[in-house]
Amino acid sequence: GENVEQHPSTLSVQEGDSAVIKCTYSDSASNYFPWYKQELGKGPQLIIDIRSNVGEKKDQRIAVTLNKTAKHFSLHITETQPEDSAVYFCAASLSSGGYNKLIFGAGTRLAVHP
Amino acid sequence: DAGITQSPRHKVTETGTPVTLRCHQTENHRYMYWYRQDPGHGLRLIHYSYGVKDTDKGEVSDGYSVSRSKTEDFLLTLESATSSQTSVYFCAISPDKSSTDTQYFGPGTRLTVL
């Protein structure tokens, strides 16, 4: 089955710096890759996603890149701010019996220091 | 929270007791999901539903059952709670007009089994 590995598990940056989180997936049939941000005590919030027919997608300070050949995708946050501090999860979607199953990475705890 | 509420938000129970968690949505989405979140494991799918009375198992379904008698409610039941079921439980929905892989999460229920 699909397996998603996420690195690093923790990341500490200074405010204004960039942060990059990387994920690899195992099943080449995966075709949808969302990223979620989870703040303490809250549910995961979808922040950006990319489908397999696109190599890069941007939304203000965040961007996601996808390399289908290498089976990895990354989240890039530029000009980080303290409110970006949270746990970030990547996921890969795989079709299974008419339903698209999401497999999640273990998460990255990002700390942005003022 | 995409119109999703979960109840209770926190629960402490004893081993061997039955527990039911409720997910309620206000927008008549067809697809609903239950996940559990544990440190180092990201989110793992327990069960999902693709309509009233239509449910199926996810990757960690042992010890759990679900029911969906109305579009708006998806119930998760632990018939006899065990300490290994101590976790944070999240409900999610997929909007009808989107692919089933785009999912939005509720606020979560923290369950402690003593």
Side-chain angles (χ1 to χ4, degrees):
Chain A
E2 175 67 285
N3 182 52
V4 176
E5 294 191 357
Q6 183 171 348
H7 299 282
S9 57
T10 60
L11 180 59
S12 181
V13 300
Q14 290 297 125
E15 182 177 1
D17 288 350
S18 295
V20 180
I21 303 170
K22 299 181 180 181
C23 289
T24 60
Y25 60 99
S26 59
D27 196 321
S28 58
S30 291
N31 56 15
Y32 172 71
F33 308 92
W35 285 90
Y36 289 84
K37 174 184 181 182
Q38 186 176 25
E39 297 175 332
L40 193 62
K42 297 185 177 181
Q45 176 190 5
L46 179 65
I47 56 172
I48 195 167
D49 55 15
I50 191 167
R51 296 198 179 270
S52 58
N53 57 346
V54 176
E56 182 176 359
K57 184 176 179 180
K58 290 185 71 174
D59 183 3
Q60 300 183 338
R61 295 187 298 108
I62 61 173
V64 57
T65 59
L66 171 65
N67 183 326
K68 289 172 55 181
T69 303
K71 291 189 284 188
H72 68 70
F73 56 111
S74 300
L75 177 71
H76 304 253
I77 306 174
T78 59
E79 301 173 21
T80 54
Q81 301 168 5
E83 51 265 38
D84 294 328
S85 296
V87 179
Y88 292 80
F89 292 95
C90 65
S93 174
L94 189 61
S95 180
S96 175
Y99 153 74
N100 293 319
K101 180 170 62 174
L102 282 182
I103 304 298
F104 285 84
T108 296
R109 184 174 300 278
L110 173 65
V112 180
H113 302 285
Chain B
D1 291 334
I4 304 169
T5 57
Q6 292 185 234
S7 59
R9 293 295 314 279
H10 302 270
K11 186 169 182 66
V12 180
T13 191
E14 294 189 351
T15 297
T17 60
V19 176
T20 295
L21 308 183
R22 179 184 184 232
C23 177
H24 178 79
Q25 54 132 336
T26 58
E27 299 182 20
N28 292 319
H29 298 303
R30 180 181 175 193
Y31 288 87
M32 299 183 74
Y33 314 85
W34 277 107
Y35 288 86
R36 61 178 288 172
Q37 184 177 47
D38 304 289
H41 289 279
L43 293 116
R44 293 179 292 174
L45 182 67
I46 305 171
H47 281 279
Y48 68 98
S49 171
Y50 45 96
V52 172
K53 299 186 179 179
D54 291 325
T55 65
D56 207 346
K57 297 179 179 180
E59 60 181 309
V60 291
S61 59
D62 288 349
Y64 302 95
S65 62
V66 291
S67 66
R68 191 164 178 203
S69 58
K70 303 185 286 185
T71 300
E72 58 266 35
D73 288 326
F74 192 29
L75 304 181
L76 177 71
T77 297
L78 291 65
E79 300 291 347
S80 178
T82 67
S83 59
S84 64
Q85 294 176 311
T86 292
S87 188
V88 182
Y89 291 86
F90 288 99
C91 176
I93 58 93
S94 287
D96 285 345
K97 295 182 179 180
S98 176
S99 175
T100 56
D101 48 23
T102 305
Q103 297 181 20
Y104 299 92
F105 287 82
T109 294
R110 181 173 295 275
L111 176 66
T112 302
V113 183
L114 302 176

